[in-house]
Amino acid sequence: MRAIRRFTVRTVLPAELAALGELVHNLRWSWHPETMDLFAEVDADLWEQVGHDPVALLGAVTPARLTELAADRRFLRRLADAADDLREYMTAPRWYQTLPDSARAIAYFSPEFGIAAALPQYSGGLGILAGDHLKAASDLGVPILAVGLLYRHGYFTQTLSPEGWQLEHYPSLDAGGLPLSLLKEPDGTPVKIRLSLPDERVLHAQVWVAQVGRVPLLLLDSDVAENDNAARDVTDRLYGGGTDHRLMQELLLGVGGVRAIRAYCRITGHPEPEVFHTNEGHAGFLGLERIRELTEARMSFDEALEAVRAGTVFTTHTPVPAGIDRFPRDMIERHFGGANAWPTVPVERILALGAESDPSRFNMAVMGMRLAQRVNGVSKLHGEVSREMFKDLWPGFDVDEVPIGSITNGVHAPTWVGRELMELAGREVPTLVERARGWEDIQKIPDEEIWRIRGQLRRRLVEGARVRLRKSWRERGASDAELGWIDDALDPEVLTIGFARRVPSYKRLTLMLRDPARLRELLLHPDRPVQIVIAGKAHPADEGGKKLIQQIVKFADQPEVRHRIVFLPDYDMALGQLMVQGCDVWLNNPLRPLEASGTSGMKSALNGGLNLSIRDGWWDEWYDGTNGWAIPTADGVANPDRRDELEAAALYDLIEDEVSDRFYDRAYDGLPRRWMEMVKHTLASLGPKVLAGRMLREYVLNLYNPAAASARALSADSYAPAKAFAAWRVRVTRAWPGVRVEHVEATGVGDTPEVGASIELHATIALGDLDPDDVQVQAAYGKVGPHDELERPSYATLSVQSVDDDRRAHYTGKVPLDRTGAFGYTVRVVPHHPLLVTPAELGLVTVPEEPTGMTNGTLR
């Protein structure tokens, strides 16, 4: 018989062990080895059986063992020390507390969070990045308050059929068996968030709190008795269901998430966030809820919009339009209009925020950008791709001026770096672990020490892979008698390449199979063999991705190669840690430029692995020619099959001629000295760049604190500046059609202009109903292309000299002739206000109707 309900009965700890519960329910243990050692001491065998899950450990340990521990003085001393260390970590000032005028709190919204394998609320890179973001924020003392959803079935677990087809399973999760606590009112009743739905329905959600070091993570859960069956299933699984289900999840995350924050701050006294950061468009509705709050406090929609935008940061993670959430327009109308409308937030204004080129669709990323004054991609290349992708939101401006910046992702070293390497660094370069400084001193660590640890990590991967491989073959129907070969699958002395990620088509899982005979030769080379460990999940609805997995599995099933190439099902954080620590080379071969950032290669690099990658995402900006290998790309080849063929051939050549040659080139003492030279250079050159701490510092200094300053500026004096700014924006937008560049002339050019000289521009601008203070007149100048287009121009601001009675203003300024070759200039008018972050923010610009006064020439 099957149980109709499952729940976890928690252990009652003896008073002497109360601190153990405190340690278990703060997820800092997931990146703090000393605390993990303490848990292992509770019951070493049981600790392994529960997969290093301390909540499960306490649920399974016997009362007799707890009584024994409560009388063990040595254990109690270690427990007291660990508890004191956690309390000091939670309260002591850290980097953020040294900054002046910083944000009191930052709200961080994401649909998934990869914190630990014991809290399976993630599917891939977006969630892992979000988890590392919170951990780094905790380590640096950044006061983030995070918001997500609690998925009762998490993301799916993956097995394979006998034919190698991906099968999905959705195990039920009991919140009582997770490191969570229920948010309750002072009277002990659970907090309930309510959202009105069409047809007079109501969506209720309770709020679970995961403590991620210093960072509270609020997870909304719709599986409550007050909901009907459909509403209870809103948080059933991550990225499951159809369009309506996805919309309900995003409404709960965005709108419900803001309401959960208000409740948490009211109950706990946590400071209210000044900055709201939405990690991809899934949480974009949070901006609408904040507008509703302000409009109900007697602000107009436009005034509330400016106040909300000032304190909002939006991060885009997708490099392709197909990766953006888009909903039918009528679906949005149904949720925000009619009887379900918010009285102070017109549905027409909501629809306008998400309007895109297709009038029938509502675009979540577009809404997110219109609701945020600061937008960023997740690598330099991705920033360029995003500016091109969203340039139509800022018409009239060059792509380089589109106000989308970039902060390259980073990874949380204590989570992903092998413990042996962390301890080695702590002994040899203590400043590296304590303050993330001294990377250049890695060169002083003896090669044999790093190589010894690399061997330990590789062997651990091989042993773990054999366990997972045996389990997978059993699930596929094989008997133990057929699996003796697994004892020799993989070899801890062989060059090991790792490939693990989600399996959409653009990541090209099967590029390595382009020439099976060539791959077979590499795997079975008599002197320089290669072995490949592969993992990855395809989205349950992605039949193409499942076919790619099946192709890999069928190749890896062949008896002659199965000891050299393996596919390990159920890619999760635990397997990810095993692979990035144990692989010598990390392979990444996406279609450039479709990898927004990628972080698994960063984790491998921190573990002394070398990257073998297409120059995409983060690798494009940080590859230096000697810290790994760049797979050449056939960017100009239009035929995708031909492109794959060329890039696969380049991949095979690199593995055979450079990677394996260097790995197996051993000195007299058996050490691969040339290989270790690359490893040390990789650690020294990439180490300080790929850290999540570096990433968080950039978010704080470049986005969070400026956003907090903007939010404070607009909210002062009961939002008087926001009201004035909104009125200015409306006035300027309405009057902009009357702004014209009527005449431009230059003096000082001469017949033979020479570099180092300058020209003086005189421009006449019709201001219409605007004042000179409302605009900025700029000269754009620099290199010109074959069609007179300015290429990456520079800008000089012209000064107003006089204004005629008919509101024609006269401006002058100098343009330096600062380069040789073809040179040109023009004049443009853009809005100007102290509260604007960039001239492009309003999307308004006026240029000459004809290239009046345009000068092209060659400077000598």
Side-chain angles (χ1 to χ4, degrees), residues 56-377:
L57 175 74
L58 291 191
V61 68
T62 64
R65 177 57 178 158
L66 292 176
T67 301
E68 184 180 343
L69 289 171
D72 185 335
R73 292 183 179 179
R74 188 183 65 84
F75 180 82
L76 293 178
R77 282 196 300 271
R78 290 194 62 194
L79 175 59
D81 289 344
D84 287 344
D85 181 75
L86 176 62
R87 291 166 193 146
E88 193 276 337
Y89 173 85
M90 294 288 288
T91 57
R94 307 186 82 81
W95 169 78
Y96 190 83
Q97 283 65 50
T98 67
L99 302 178
D101 301 321
S102 297
R104 291 190 299 273
I106 301 107
Y108 181 85
F109 286 64
S110 179
E112 51 176 305
F113 288 91
I115 309 294
L119 188 62
Q121 301 292 307
Y122 59 92
S123 71
L126 180 71
I128 299 300
L129 181 278
D132 283 7
H133 197 101
L134 301 195
K135 294 173 185 177
S138 175
D139 291 343
L140 294 173
V142 182
I144 280 181
L145 178 56
V147 182
L149 301 180
L150 180 68
Y151 304 99
R152 287 301 178 119
H153 299 284
Y155 201 50
F156 69 90
T157 58
Q158 176 197 49
T159 60
L160 299 174
S161 74
E163 298 75 30
W165 190 257
Q166 172 180 291
L167 304 175
E168 299 94 26
H169 312 274
Y170 291 90
S172 295
L173 300 175
D174 170 33
L178 300 174
L180 305 171
S181 59
L182 194 60
L183 181 63
K184 296 181 179 180
E185 297 285 357
D187 64 4
T189 59
V191 167
K192 290 291 171 61
I193 305 301
R194 299 175 72 257
L195 273 73
S196 297
L197 302 177
D199 303 321
E200 299 183 349
R201 295 174 61 229
V202 176
L203 173 62
H204 302 265
Q206 57 191 0
V207 183
W208 296 90
V209 182
Q211 195 66 40
V212 186
R214 298 166 71 118
V215 175
L217 167 59
L218 312 183
L219 298 171
L220 283 80
D221 171 19
S222 70
D223 187 16
V224 295
E226 293 89 338
N227 284 332
D228 57 33
N229 288 336
R232 292 186 77 148
D233 286 343
V234 166
T235 56
D236 58 349
R237 59 186 63 173
L238 178 58
Y239 302 143
T243 303
D244 189 62
H245 186 265
R246 187 73 167 262
L247 177 61
M248 295 282 281
Q249 287 188 336
E250 298 191 4
L251 284 166
L252 181 59
L253 176 60
V255 177
V258 174
R259 296 177 184 179
I261 280 178
R262 302 307 185 207
Y264 182 84
C265 293
R266 170 178 55 80
I267 292 167
T268 66
H270 190 286
E272 290 279 356
E274 294 182 283
V275 177
F276 285 75
H277 182 182
T278 174
N279 191 33
E280 201 39 273
H282 312 285
F285 291 123
L286 71 87
L288 299 184
E289 169 64 7
R290 294 176 61 215
I291 288 174
R292 182 197 64 79
E293 291 177 331
L294 292 174
T295 53
E296 289 187 357
R298 299 184 180 274
M299 289 176 71
S300 72
F301 183 94
D302 289 308
E303 294 164 351
L305 175 61
E306 297 305 333
V308 166
R309 287 185 71 254
T312 301
V313 173
F314 178 85
T315 298
T316 175
H317 290 262
T318 179
V320 290
I324 296 171
D325 277 342
R326 299 159 75 236
F327 296 106
R329 178 186 170 97
D330 59 357
M331 188 178 288
I332 302 298
E333 285 182 305
R334 190 163 63 251
H335 277 274
F336 288 101
N340 203 47
W342 291 344
T344 59
V345 184
V347 67
E348 294 80 13
R349 299 300 301 269
I350 295 174
L351 293 170
L353 288 170
E356 56 150 79
S357 56
D358 182 348
S360 69
R361 311 299 291 178
F362 184 91
N363 189 307
M364 293 295 290
V366 166
M367 179 183 68
M369 292 182 183
R370 287 177 173 146
L371 284 170
Q373 197 171 37
R374 290 165 177 83
V375 182
N376 71 287

Side-chain angles (χ1 to χ4, degrees), residues 431-451:
T431 57
L432 201 60
V433 176
E434 295 167 5
R435 299 192 296 276
R437 295 176 185 170
W439 289 92
E440 64 281 357
D441 290 338
I442 283 174
Q443 299 291 346
K444 301 175 184 176
I445 301 178
D447 287 358
E448 52 269 25
E449 280 294 295
I450 299 177
W451 183 244

Side-chain angles (χ1 to χ4, degrees), residues 284-614:
F285 291 123
L286 71 87
L288 299 184
E289 169 64 7
R290 294 176 61 215
I291 288 174
R292 182 197 64 79
E293 291 177 331
L294 292 174
T295 53
E296 289 187 357
R298 299 184 180 274
M299 289 176 71
S300 72
F301 183 94
D302 289 308
E303 294 164 351
L305 175 61
E306 297 305 333
V308 166
R309 287 185 71 254
T312 301
V313 173
F314 178 85
T315 298
T316 175
H317 290 262
T318 179
V320 290
I324 296 171
D325 277 342
R326 299 159 75 236
F327 296 106
R329 178 186 170 97
D330 59 357
M331 188 178 288
I332 302 298
E333 285 182 305
R334 190 163 63 251
H335 277 274
F336 288 101
N340 203 47
W342 291 344
T344 59
V345 184
V347 67
E348 294 80 13
R349 299 300 301 269
I350 295 174
L351 293 170
L353 288 170
E356 56 150 79
S357 56
D358 182 348
S360 69
R361 311 299 291 178
F362 184 91
N363 189 307
M364 293 295 290
V366 166
M367 179 183 68
M369 292 182 183
R370 287 177 173 146
L371 284 170
Q373 197 171 37
R374 290 165 177 83
V375 182
N376 71 287
V378 289
S379 69
K380 285 187 177 179
L381 180 59
H382 181 233
E384 295 173 12
V385 170
S386 298
R387 287 189 287 275
E388 178 67 34
M389 196 162 95
F390 295 105
K391 64 183 179 182
D392 290 344
L393 294 180
W394 293 273
F397 288 90
D398 292 340
V399 172
D400 290 342
E401 290 187 278
V402 169
I404 300 176
S406 66
I407 292 179
T408 304
N409 285 344
V411 298
H412 186 246
T415 296
W416 299 107
V417 177
R419 182 171 182 177
E420 294 88 347
L421 278 174
M422 291 290 284
E423 291 174 348
L424 175 65
R427 291 194 305 271
E428 301 287 340
V429 192
T431 57
L432 201 60
V433 176
E434 295 167 5
R435 299 192 296 276
R437 295 176 185 170
W439 289 92
E440 64 281 357
D441 290 338
I442 283 174
Q443 299 291 346
K444 301 175 184 176
I445 301 178
D447 287 358
E448 52 269 25
E449 280 294 295
I450 299 177
W451 183 244
R452 178 182 59 80
I453 292 175
R454 290 292 316 141
Q456 291 176 352
L457 297 176
R458 192 186 311 110
R459 180 174 295 278
R460 186 181 302 155
L461 169 60
V462 167
E463 293 171 351
R466 289 172 181 170
V467 171
R468 288 173 177 260
L469 197 60
R470 188 178 301 277
K471 179 175 182 288
S472 175
W473 275 87
R474 283 173 176 163
E475 290 169 341
R476 296 173 67 188
S479 66
D480 287 340
E482 302 172 82
L483 301 181
W485 63 272
I486 291 179
D487 293 336
D488 297 314
L490 306 180
D491 184 332
E493 302 301 324
V494 166
L495 170 62
T496 305
I497 298 176
F499 185 103
R501 48 193 31 89
R502 291 184 304 112
V503 191
S505 59
Y506 78 87
K507 291 182 183 284
R508 297 193 294 184
L509 168 68
T510 56
L511 186 69
M512 67 181 76
L513 297 183
R514 187 72 191 186
D515 185 343
R518 185 83 187 276
L519 176 60
R520 194 175 286 109
E521 290 175 4
L522 293 171
L523 296 171
L524 303 177
H525 194 285
D527 301 316
R528 297 178 303 179
V530 171
Q531 60 192 14
I532 306 177
V533 181
I534 305 166
K537 293 179 177 180
H539 188 280
D542 183 3
E543 296 295 304
K546 293 180 185 180
K547 288 179 181 177
L548 297 178
I549 290 175
Q550 187 178 45
Q551 291 171 30
I552 281 284
V553 172
K554 285 187 173 181
F555 181 87
D557 281 353
Q558 298 176 53
E560 65 269 28
V561 297
R562 64 190 182 186
H563 65 299
R564 286 283 185 261
I565 181 170
V566 299
F567 180 89
L568 303 180
D570 208 24
Y571 181 39
D572 62 2
M573 286 188 70
L575 178 54
Q577 288 167 327
L578 201 63
M579 289 183 66
V580 298
Q581 292 170 15
C583 288
D584 301 294
V585 174
W586 199 259
L587 174 62
N588 190 25
N589 47 233
L591 275 170
R592 188 180 190 273
L594 302 184
E595 182 84 275
S597 178
T599 57
S600 53
M602 297 179 176
K603 298 162 191 167
S604 179
L606 285 174
N607 280 286
L610 301 178
N611 277 266
L612 172 61
S613 177
I614 294 286

